[in-house]
Amino acid sequence: MHCTHLIAADTWYVGASDRRLAKFENLFPIPRGVSYNAYVILDEKTALLDTADASVSGQFLENVAHALGGRSLDYLIVDHMEPDHAATIAEVLLRWPEAQIVCNAKTVPMLKAYFPASAGKVDEALLVKEGDVLSLGTHDLTFVMAPMVHWPEVMFTYDKTTQVLFSADAFGTFGALDSNIFADQVDFARDWLDDARRYYANIVGKYGAQVQAVLKKAAGIPIQVIAPLHGPIWRQDLAWFLGKYDLWSRWQPEDNSVVILYGSMYGNTANAAKALAGCLADRGVQGIAVRDLSVTDVSEAVAECFRASTIVLAAPTYNGGIYLPMAHLLEDLKALSLQNRTFALIENGSWAPMSAKLMAERVGELKNCTLLDAKLTLRGTLAPAQYADLTALADALAAAVKA
Ligand code: FEO
């Protein structure tokens, strides 16, 4: 059965949610599922904006057919070619063979690479570039190029008539939609923000400069609605979410707080991490997060690093190197270009502690990050004689948070 929603004049949500997929991109756990949003505009001409992942193709195609109500499809606008949105393009072209693809020049080789059997349709595509206008009748669509947010061909489509910005992956989030498709119909800050941050940090996080560029373009456009390809649609409090994107894309923290990320084989490093968290709470630090990297997915740890101003890394030495879950996190932080943070270290090594030195080298590869001199070196468990070192580290961290 169809499940469509009117989001603006003549503009229908025709997407669908997957609650069975375990990992987005086969990497990121999504226990709350994910939505693949797509939209139909009905005017003198009709347009479908993006398709959907193969997993929801049945629901998606039923929604498109219902929204069209027996009309033909004039345009298939391809804002993004990643298969979670593009996988159903060939099926759409089979069902509505009259549809003309609308895309930019960078999209063409990707369309041919993914859909070689549709190469003829691709050759007939209407190619658009920044600022071009496509009139559907009363709805005039224009196009905003958004390269590397987070693929090279990405563009936003903007409906000048309804002032809806179809923003591709930007402003998206993990999480299935429960038919309350608008952000103002849910408690976004309570129930969605963590997943939105995790989505941004891990999927788009590397491309902050490109996000900043497109945010500047968006600032010059009157926007009533932001309609992303994942998660809730925004028609209220747009400035609040745009503000989050501005912080994230400049790698600026949301909270002056501390996240303590630890690896621990037998609980001794964990014990020190928890004792440090207690000392920080005693010093008035709020919003502390303590995470065990052996049970916390690295995508969640990355997201916490995007949230907090100050990061404590605590890990044993392992085979003369860094305990592997911590090494994985550090690799991700570098790949995502995390910047502008203060770090502190706790290491453990029963006979030859090396992890602080090695973690310091990795932190040194991150732009504009400060490493506190204060650190803890454990030779097993946290010894009572080290209490002064612990409190000195807590003092230094509390001062960094308040600076
Ligand atoms: Fe949701 Fe980049 O695909």
Side-chain angles (χ1 to χ4, degrees):
M1 177 57 68
H2 67 268
C3 186
T4 59
H5 305 273
L6 190 68
I7 69 156
D10 311 316
T11 308
W12 290 87
Y13 177 90
V14 294
S17 288
D18 184 352
R19 294 175 176 81
R20 300 179 71 174
L21 184 68
K23 291 186 175 183
F24 186 78
E25 294 184 359
N26 226 356
L27 280 175
F28 307 109
I30 45 169
R32 301 173 60 218
V34 65
S35 75
Y36 304 105
N37 302 345
Y39 306 91
V40 163
I41 301 174
L42 301 175
D43 201 343
E44 293 167 26
K45 300 281 191 180
T46 62
L48 169 62
L49 292 99
D50 289 295
T51 70
D53 189 78
S55 64
V56 296
S57 62
Q59 177 76 72
F60 163 72
L61 291 165
E62 194 167 357
N63 286 348
V64 175
H66 177 77
L68 289 172
R71 294 184 61 184
S72 60
L73 178 63
D74 295 299
Y75 298 114
L76 167 57
I77 298 173
V78 181
D79 282 332
H80 185 21
M81 268 304 296
E82 193 162 12
D84 55 331
H85 311 292
T88 317
I89 285 176
E91 185 67 28
V92 166
L93 294 174
L94 280 174
R95 293 194 182 209
W96 292 280
E98 72 282 3
Q100 183 179 22
I101 295 170
V102 180
C103 65
N104 64 70
K106 290 180 184 170
T107 314
V108 170
M110 293 184 177
L111 278 165
K112 289 185 175 178
Y114 279 104
F115 304 107
S118 301
K121 287 292 291 184
V122 177
D123 285 336
E124 297 167 0
L126 174 62
L127 297 186
V128 296
K129 57 185 185 310
E130 180 87 23
D132 283 357
V133 175
L134 173 64
S135 180
L136 303 181
T138 60
H139 292 260
D140 288 341
L141 307 182
T142 188
F143 304 94
V144 179
M145 298 302 128
M148 297 317 297
V149 182
H150 60 133
W151 277 31
E153 86 299 353
V154 172
M155 66 180 190
F156 297 173
T157 298
Y158 175 67
D159 185 335
K160 294 182 171 188
T161 309
T162 53
Q163 299 185 342
V164 176
L165 180 69
F166 300 94
S167 63
D169 276 335
F171 309 107
T173 174
F174 298 130
L177 288 172
D178 300 332
S179 275
N180 286 136
I181 62 168
F182 293 100
D184 56 272
Q185 293 176 325
V186 298
D187 191 332
F188 194 92
R190 185 191 66 190
D191 297 333
W192 288 82
L193 179 58
D194 284 350
D195 261 338
R197 183 187 305 108
R198 188 164 67 94
Y199 177 88
Y200 176 86
N202 289 278
I203 308 292
V204 189
K206 176 181 175 68
Y207 303 105
Q210 290 84 353
V211 173
Q212 278 289 307
V214 82
L215 285 176
K216 285 186 173 62
K217 289 187 195 178
I221 301 171
I223 300 171
Q224 293 292 323
V225 175
I226 295 176
L229 288 176
H230 300 287
I233 296 161
W234 290 81
R235 60 183 178 183
Q236 296 179 14
D237 300 325
L238 273 61
W240 178 82
F241 202 37
L242 284 162
K244 294 293 184 191
Y245 258 67
D246 181 47
L247 285 176
W248 296 337
S249 57
R250 289 185 294 114
W251 293 277
Q252 293 294 336
E254 289 168 79
D255 299 335
N256 287 325
S257 187
V258 180
V259 55
I260 302 174
L261 303 166
Y262 71 84
S264 188
M265 297 158 66
Y266 300 105
N268 294 294
T269 309
N271 177 263
K274 293 170 195 172
L276 178 63
C279 292
L280 292 170
D282 288 345
R283 284 158 177 74
V285 177
Q286 298 184 6
I288 301 166
V290 180
R291 298 287 184 272
D292 180 345
L293 292 175
S294 294
V295 296
T296 301
D297 189 78
V298 68
S299 67
E300 186 183 331
V302 163
E304 281 298 306
C305 291
F306 270 67
R307 178 186 68 82
S309 61
T310 309
I311 300 162
V312 178
L313 306 176
T317 304
Y318 198 87
N319 285 333
I322 304 170
Y323 190 56
L324 289 176
M326 179 64 74
H328 184 184
L329 171 66
L330 285 162
E331 190 170 341
D332 255 9
L333 295 181
K334 184 182 179 191
L336 297 168
S337 198
L338 184 75
Q339 305 171 25
N340 309 317
R341 296 299 190 275
T342 299
F343 282 83
L345 303 176
I346 299 174
E347 67 174 340
N348 206 338
S350 305
W351 65 92
M354 281 293 294
S355 51
K357 175 179 179 292
L358 297 171
M359 288 191 289
E361 289 172 4
R362 300 287 190 91
V363 170
E365 296 172 350
L366 304 177
K367 287 184 192 166
N368 200 28
C369 287
T370 303
L371 182 61
L372 297 180
D373 290 334
K375 69 170 184 180
L376 268 182
T377 294
L378 310 179
R379 291 285 190 157
T381 197
L382 179 63
Q386 291 183 291
Y387 187 71
D389 293 340
L390 177 71
T391 56
L393 178 56
D395 287 340
L397 284 163
V401 166
K402 289 168 185 161

